[in-house]
């Protein structure tokens, strides 16, 4: 399956943003890219090789933001019971998918939900 260039560009921006956050590191459990901070995943990035649709999964603890994310085309609570904890899977390829800037806002919220306070303070000091 071919990856849409616009979706791939968006995915790359989100990945770059996530990995620039204080203490962030990329790992590849299950063969998929995730960004972690202090050993905790804050964004699931999936794969960019076209074997699966491009998307991101983030933890959104603010009820309004969470509800807004679920209005994105084909967005849904994350599987494996993660949706119950506020995780939302957002596809990047459908028409009307959120822009990279909004996705980065959601990645930052997800980061803040799992990062240690000292790293959040580092982020706020930027």
């Amino acid at each position: 399956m071919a990856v849409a260039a616009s979706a791939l560009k968006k995915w790359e921006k989100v990945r770059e943003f996530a990995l620039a956050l204080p203490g962030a590191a990329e790992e590849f459990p299950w063969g998929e890219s995730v960004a972690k901070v202090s050993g905790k995943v804050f964004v699931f990035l999936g794969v960019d090789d076209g074997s699966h649709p491009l998307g991101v999964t983030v933890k959104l603890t603010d009820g309004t933001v969470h509800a807004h994310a679920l209005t994105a085309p084909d967005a849904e609570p994350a599987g494996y019971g993660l949706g119950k904890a506020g995780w939302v899977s957002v596809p990047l390829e459908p028409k009307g998918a959120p822009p990279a800037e909004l996705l980065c806002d959601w990645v930052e919220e997800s980061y803040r939900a799992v990062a240690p306070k000292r790293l959040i303070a580092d982020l706020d000091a930027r």
Side-chain angles (χ1 to χ4, degrees):
M1 139 176 25
V3 176
S6 61
L8 183 58
K9 186 175 180 180
K10 197 181 305 187
W11 183 87
E12 289 169 344
K13 283 183 181 180
V14 170
R15 178 181 169 274
E16 182 180 321
F17 175 83
L19 296 177
L21 293 169
E26 185 173 29
E27 293 186 15
F28 298 90
W30 319 287
E32 297 184 6
S33 173
V34 301
K36 290 185 174 184
V37 62
S38 297
K40 296 180 181 179
V41 174
F42 67 92
V43 61
F44 293 89
L45 295 161
V47 296
D48 65 346
D49 64 4
S51 62
H52 293 76
L54 278 179
V56 298
T57 301
V58 290
K59 182 173 183 152
L60 302 174
T61 55
D62 179 286
T64 303
V65 174
H66 185 268
H68 181 247
L70 287 172
T71 67
D74 299 328
E76 61 185 6
Y80 305 103
L82 293 173
K84 294 177 184 173
W87 289 88
V88 178
S89 294
V90 182
L92 303 182
E93 297 186 61
K95 181 176 177 155
E101 296 76 21
L102 180 57
L103 292 164
C104 289
D105 287 347
W106 294 345
V107 167
E108 183 176 331
E109 180 176 335
S110 189
Y111 173 88
R112 288 175 180 277
V114 302
K117 290 179 183 177
R118 66 180 172 73
L119 291 177
I120 293 171
D122 289 349
L123 177 61
D124 290 340
R126 287 184 177 184

